[in-house]
Amino acid sequence: MSNEKILLVLDLDETLVHVSEKKLDVQEDFRYEKYFVYCRPALQKFLNLISEHFRLAIWSSAGEEYLNEIVSKITPENINFEFIWSRNKCTTRRDYITDSYVFEKRLKKLKKKYNLKKVLIVDDSPEKTRDNYGNAIYITPFEGDIKDNVLATLADYLISIKDVDNVRSIEKRGWNKKISQ
Ligand SMILES: [Mg+2]
């Protein structure tokens, strides 16, 4: 079992890209309808590198059409995702404190097909994965900063844990401090 590759479930917005109606001072990577799309620095390199060591999937709380369009534009040709899931796979939870709805990504939906000891989810929104914090790696949101180097650090970290038998048994909080630059 230990040679089974970990499934890495990636969030999209503010994790891999920043999509905005407002044009930033920097050049957008492409446009989608009325939006300007900015890729997180080193995005293609990150996807290429980690695809050698992990199985990859995307799970976003955005709508399906938007998601598929953006993902098709940012994905290097040789990469195939295990699945690309949108909001309709999320579970809606009412947050009474903020009086809003949270679209949660509950990993138990993957249980039939994947061993959850071998699933990691990367997200900038802890509230969307709170049921799965043992599987989660939280990253800072990307909002267009061209000096952002999170994906490079994250790739190093992920590769350092790629062979663990149970992702839940390792402390992932403070992951970015565990990698020395
Ligand atoms: Mg996000």
Side-chain angles (χ1 to χ4, degrees):
M1 288 294 278
S2 59
N3 57 7
E4 176 194 344
K5 281 184 183 172
I6 291 173
L7 174 72
L8 195 60
V9 181
L10 300 165
D11 172 48
L12 180 70
D13 288 307
E14 276 65 57
T15 291
L16 303 180
V17 296
H18 175 65
V19 179
S20 168
E21 271 187 59
K22 206 181 89 201
K23 187 166 169 45
L24 305 181
D25 289 340
V26 291
Q27 178 69 41
E28 71 273 9
D29 288 282
F30 58 92
R31 293 178 72 162
Y32 169 66
E33 295 185 347
K34 62 182 176 181
Y35 301 103
F36 298 92
V37 183
Y38 302 89
C39 292
R40 197 164 206 159
L43 175 59
Q44 301 257 317
K45 196 176 164 197
F46 171 78
L47 292 172
N48 278 320
L49 189 58
I50 56 167
S51 69
E52 291 172 25
H53 306 284
F54 294 87
R55 294 188 283 172
L56 302 181
I58 300 270
W59 194 352
S60 163
S61 58
E64 198 163 14
E65 204 181 314
Y66 162 89
L67 174 65
N68 288 332
E69 187 66 32
I70 304 292
V71 170
S72 72
K73 288 241 169 67
I74 64 169
T75 309
E77 258 179 37
N78 51 327
I79 288 180
N80 293 307
F81 292 108
E82 297 267 319
F83 57 83
I84 299 169
W85 280 2
S86 65
R87 178 175 296 181
N88 59 27
K89 289 283 188 181
C90 293
T91 302
T92 309
R93 174 173 60 85
R94 176 87 187 269
D95 185 326
Y96 291 96
I97 296 167
T98 59
D99 194 26
S100 58
Y101 290 95
V102 177
F103 300 104
E104 289 191 350
K105 303 167 185 179
R106 297 190 179 166
L107 293 181
K108 66 181 175 200
K109 293 191 177 178
L110 297 175
K111 235 164 145 179
K112 275 193 190 140
K113 200 167 166 203
Y114 301 94
N115 171 3
L116 292 186
K117 290 178 181 172
K118 289 281 200 175
V119 176
L120 283 168
I121 184 163
V122 176
D123 210 304
D124 67 293
S125 303
E127 74 277 10
K128 290 181 186 169
T129 58
R130 63 171 198 170
D131 274 16
N132 316 108
Y133 67 88
N135 297 81
I137 296 174
Y138 300 122
I139 63 171
T140 52
F142 170 64
E143 284 160 355
D145 177 9
I146 52 166
K147 293 198 191 79
D148 179 287
N149 65 353
V150 169
L151 293 181
T153 317
L154 181 63
D156 287 347
Y157 176 67
L158 288 169
I159 289 167
S160 78
I161 61 169
K162 69 182 173 64
D163 295 319
V164 299
D165 288 327
N166 182 1
V167 300
R168 291 166 158 180
S169 69
I170 54 172
E171 175 59 82
K172 293 172 289 299
R173 285 173 298 186
W175 64 268
N176 48 352
K177 292 177 194 78
K178 292 182 178 125
I179 288 292
S180 52
Q181 288 292 327

